[in-house]
Amino acid sequence: MGNYLDIAVEIAGEAGQLLAQLSRQPHEISYKRKSDIVTDADRRSEAMIVAKIRRHFPDHAIVAEEGGGKETGSDYCWYVDPLDGTTNFAHGFPVYCVTLALAYRDEVIAGVVYDPNREELFAAERGAGAWLNDARIRVSQTGDLAESLLGTGFPPFASNHDLNLQFFFKLTHLSHGIRRAGAAALDLCSVAAGRFEGFWELKLNPWDKAAGSLLVTEAGGRVTDLAGGPFSLHRDEIFASNGLIHESMIEVFSEVLEENGKVSCS
Ligand code: IPD
Ligand code: CA
Ligand code: CA
């Protein structure tokens, strides 16, 4: 197993250096859909990562955001987000990262998130803990929602934005505040490292959350859906916390759902 994580760390580091270098040059921006942008850096980073994974693990499947992946029928599948936080990157707002994770039969077994701006490398291996550079990380020990800092995100396209705005509004008043920093993988690392007590988002893809979800659980936190049910890579929503404020936040989510006559977010 060590081999998978070591190679993922090496690849994420190299892709992060490429992003840092490209961030100093003008970007070519194109639109996937309205408000949903992609840059040349997303594509170049993905091409580099996919080529390296294929060289090391030719049989493994790869799912990569910009479409450069490959289905092989293997039980091993890499999830790649070559640039998480594209909008931030395109505007020169220095909050973005590269993230990749390996799942075996849909269970994430190794994951890496690299932030080239802060030179922070988050890595986790199932059963072996979560790390930030050379130090072991743990979720925070704050048990009171009123003393918590939270994070969330709003994807460019979602039918449930209104619902998330209501969660945002209610939780803003019940906590120290909510950050919408713009890179979901880093938000999950903030929970793992004890910077945030909780993070949720209603519409993420598997590559956004694969590595970060493992980081949170390996750092002693809890990852579920917004009702406290099991987390799945293939479902849109995710709710990650230090575990201690989990039930208080679930109560708030369910109050808002009830006020909207809904039983779930989708
Ligand atoms: C986005 C970011 C953002 C989140 C969006 C994601 P991208 O990923 O993680 O924080 O709110 O849902 O799509 O497009 O920058 O890789
Ligand atoms: Ca992403
Ligand atoms: Ca991306």
Side-chain angles (χ1 to χ4, degrees):
M1 158 76 86
N3 189 35
Y4 295 140
L5 188 63
D6 290 347
I7 290 170
V9 164
E10 188 186 306
I11 296 174
E14 287 175 23
Q17 291 315 315
L18 175 67
L19 294 181
Q21 182 196 323
L22 295 175
S23 73
R24 295 186 281 273
Q25 300 171 11
H27 316 307
E28 265 171 42
I29 296 175
S30 49
Y31 285 80
K32 292 184 190 172
R33 292 177 293 185
K34 185 172 175 286
S35 319
D36 191 4
I37 59 181
V38 61
T39 70
D40 50 331
D42 296 71
R43 297 201 177 95
R44 286 181 60 180
S45 172
E46 179 165 308
M48 173 201 257
I49 295 168
V50 168
K52 285 179 190 288
I53 295 175
R54 288 182 72 164
R55 195 164 72 233
H56 286 285
F57 308 109
D59 299 338
H60 288 186
I62 305 172
V63 174
E65 179 172 15
E66 308 310 335
K70 180 180 166 233
E71 180 49 83
T72 60
S74 169
D75 284 337
Y76 288 92
C77 182
W78 291 87
Y79 290 94
V80 177
D81 191 338
L83 170 46
D84 184 42
T86 296
T87 305
N88 289 347
F89 179 89
H91 287 266
F93 182 66
V95 179
Y96 50 83
C97 62
V98 47
T99 176
L100 58 151
L102 177 63
Y104 176 72
R105 296 190 174 166
D106 282 342
E107 186 182 56
V108 184
I109 56 173
V112 178
V113 178
Y114 180 56
D115 171 353
N117 290 296
R118 297 174 62 87
E119 295 186 3
E120 289 189 332
L121 188 284
F122 296 89
E125 189 174 294
R126 183 158 297 271
W131 302 80
L132 164 50
N133 296 336
D134 295 329
R136 185 94 189 242
I137 48 173
R138 298 279 311 163
V139 293
S140 90
Q141 291 306 302
T142 303
D144 190 349
L145 177 56
E147 293 173 4
S148 296
L149 184 63
L150 309 174
T152 189
F154 294 84
F157 279 91
S159 55
N160 43 17
H161 264 165
D162 286 357
L163 197 59
N164 206 29
L165 283 169
Q166 291 181 54
F167 293 150
F168 191 100
F169 182 73
K170 207 158 230 181
L171 283 161
T172 293
H173 296 292
L174 293 171
S175 66
H176 276 176
I178 304 176
R179 300 292 173 260
R180 190 284 186 254
L186 285 177
D187 290 329
L188 285 163
C189 290
S190 289
V191 176
R195 297 168 180 174
F196 285 170
E197 275 63 43
F199 165 77
W200 79 96
E201 193 159 336
L202 303 188
K203 194 153 180 52
L204 286 179
N205 288 296
W207 50 77
D208 298 308
K209 52 192 191 268
S213 61
L214 181 64
L215 270 141
V216 172
T217 52
E218 287 299 321
R222 191 170 162 200
V223 181
T224 66
D225 65 14
L226 269 71
F231 164 72
S232 160
L233 263 188
H234 303 290
R235 279 193 54 203
D236 290 350
E237 66 190 61
I238 184 169
F239 168 36
S241 84
N242 64 358
L244 302 173
I245 60 154
H246 217 79
E247 295 305 324
S248 315
M249 282 186 68
I250 287 172
E251 258 176 55
V252 178
F253 295 139
S254 60
E255 269 171 38
V256 172
L257 283 168
E258 210 175 297
E259 284 161 16
N260 284 268
K262 286 175 170 274
V263 288
S264 75
C265 297
S266 44

